[in-house]
Amino acid sequence: EKAKNNPEIGWEKAFKQDYGFDINFLNDRLILNFDYYMENRTDILLLDYTVPNVIGFTVPFANLGEVKSHGWEVSVNWNDKIGKDFRYWAKLNLSNNYNEVIEMKEAPQKNEYMYQRGHRIGARSQYKFWKYYYAGAEADYEKEFGKPFPTQLVPNLEPGDCVYVDIDGDGKIDESDMSRDYGYTDDPEFMAGLTFGFAWKRLTFNAQLTGAWNVSRSIGAVFRQPFWRSADTVKGGLLQYHVDDTWTVSNPSQDADYPRATWANANQNYAGSDLYEKDAKYLRLKTLSIGYDLNNAWLKSLGLTKCELTLSGYNLLTFTPYKWGDPESTASSAPSYPLQRTYTIGLNVSF
């Protein structure tokens, strides 16, 4: 038989714990909240790739996976008045989240660092980039790592080509040198938010900042390789990133974002490595609004209890080292519709 079923399949199980406290200070002007959680998920449905192919049939799904998560969140809220007309407030949120794959029945690997097990969900398997090749690179490599310069993925390196580190020390670069130990994932480890504002007589102001760090994107496809397209790698587009930030003979910088442009050594220069894992931390002015209540004696005589004019903006500013699109988006292989900056004027009328 080619396939088997598994009559013992059951539900995935989750054991969650959450501990926290709330403390109010200074007549409730200052409020502190803290939460810490732990979660252990077991019996996750997956295929067992440790089973050898010689058994003669397709292994059925089974409840074999396990993942552990933990994290914390803290919020600080301040609300106060100055005099009888001015009120102001601010709220800061900060959270940290971490998870680890405990078991997912992966196929046997040569080295422990190659497994998803023991790493964060979404940890990428990639080569460790050292430098762009140059005359004398062999001697400098041996001096730094204490072992001979390894055979790379292609036999003939040219100046500007990628050089990868021989992690397992066997003298050659191959799949056994791809590790999940480097960089972060698409999910940020830290996230923060700050809302603040004030009200003074008829004027109100509100703003929100959001941010995240310890997060990265691995750029690929057209973002990684010039002239790439789904059909081939010679007739696609050339992005401005490649024009501005590629290693060239006239600009042989080790700080370039891209190696020497090449078709002959494409397997070397565009292999999955931490060279293409880009920092996607950001700080964003998410919203900002200003309102003014136009209500006066004449409007009140018409029966209006409120007539507020508001001006608001959304996605006004973003500060980030990530230049390949929206750092909040996980799309990292091709240009996508740009993030919209929105302005709104509104009139809120109440009777």
Side-chain angles (χ1 to χ4, degrees), residues 221-222 224-228 233-234 236-238 242 258 261-263 270:
V222 68
R224 180 181 299 186
Q225 186 170 354
F227 305 111
W228 185 96
T233 60
V234 297
L238 181 66
H242 298 122
Y258 296 98
T262 175
W263 284 311
Y270 307 118

Side-chain angles (χ1 to χ4, degrees), residues 7-193:
E8 297 181 358
I9 282 181
W11 293 103
E12 180 179 321
K13 299 179 180 67
F15 177 64
K16 300 181 181 180
Q17 303 175 67
D18 191 284
Y19 307 95
F21 60 81
D22 303 328
I23 304 178
N24 294 18
F25 300 95
L26 304 173
N27 295 323
D28 294 339
R29 286 179 295 171
L30 177 63
I31 302 175
L32 174 66
N33 309 102
F34 179 82
D35 283 282
Y36 180 82
Y37 78 91
M38 294 181 290
E39 180 178 352
N40 186 25
R41 305 187 75 90
T42 59
D43 293 341
I44 300 172
L45 200 64
L46 50 78
L47 290 173
D48 187 351
Y49 288 102
T50 66
V51 177
N53 294 329
V54 295
I55 61 174
F57 61 86
T58 302
V59 177
F61 281 90
N63 301 100
L64 300 170
E66 181 179 359
V67 172
K68 287 185 176 180
S69 307
H70 63 84
W72 52 263
E73 181 176 7
V74 61
S75 67
V76 181
N77 193 350
W78 176 264
N79 196 321
D80 198 9
K81 292 182 66 175
I82 300 177
K84 65 176 183 178
D85 293 327
F86 188 83
R87 183 171 64 88
Y88 66 102
W89 56 88
K91 184 175 183 180
L92 173 66
N93 295 289
L94 177 64
S95 64
N96 168 250
N97 298 281
Y98 181 79
N99 57 63
E100 180 182 347
V101 176
I102 304 301
E103 183 57 78
M104 62 180 298
K105 295 297 181 182
E106 301 165 87
Q109 303 287 352
K110 181 180 178 182
N111 302 297
E112 189 66 25
Y113 55 73
M114 301 172 66
Y115 288 100
Q116 178 72 59
R117 182 185 67 235
H119 295 91
R120 188 178 171 93
I121 295 174
R124 304 178 180 95
S125 176
Q126 53 194 353
Y127 294 111
K128 178 65 177 176
F129 170 76
W130 179 56
K131 291 180 180 180
Y132 298 124
Y133 184 75
Y134 56 92
E138 292 86 350
D140 289 347
Y141 182 98
E142 185 169 355
K143 182 179 179 180
E144 180 173 340
F145 295 101
K147 48 189 175 183
F149 188 82
T151 302
Q152 298 289 309
L153 298 173
V154 297
N156 300 310
L157 293 181
E158 298 287 340
D161 286 346
C162 291
V163 176
Y164 303 117
V165 179
D166 181 17
I167 302 299
D168 64 357
D170 64 355
K172 63 180 185 297
I173 301 299
D174 55 24
E175 291 183 355
S176 296
D177 296 299
M178 300 186 76
S179 171
R180 298 183 187 272
D181 289 342
Y182 311 121
Y184 301 106
T185 69
D186 288 333
D187 298 315
E189 292 184 6
F190 291 92
M191 299 186 70

Side-chain angles (χ1 to χ4, degrees), residues 190-265:
F190 291 92
M191 299 186 70
L194 174 65
T195 58
F196 60 95
F198 67 85
W200 179 64
K201 295 183 178 181
R202 299 183 189 180
L203 179 68
T204 59
F205 171 86
N206 284 281
Q208 180 186 30
L209 294 166
T210 61
W213 61 98
N214 285 15
V215 58
S216 63
R217 303 280 183 262
S218 181
I219 59 172
V222 68
F223 277 158
R224 180 181 299 186
Q225 186 170 354
F227 305 111
W228 185 96
R229 65 173 184 168
S230 57
D232 54 57
T233 60
V234 297
K235 296 182 180 180
L238 181 66
L239 301 182
Q240 192 66 42
Y241 309 120
H242 298 122
V243 176
D244 295 338
D245 300 317
T246 292
W247 186 101
T248 62
V249 174
S250 60
N251 182 32
S253 173
Q254 290 291 341
D255 295 326
D257 285 330
Y258 296 98
R260 177 182 71 97
T262 175
W263 284 311
N265 284 1

Side-chain angles (χ1 to χ4, degrees), residues 331-345:
S332 57
S333 296
S336 57
Y337 194 79
L339 189 69
Q340 290 184 314
R341 183 182 293 120
T342 305
Y343 300 96
T344 304
I345 297 177

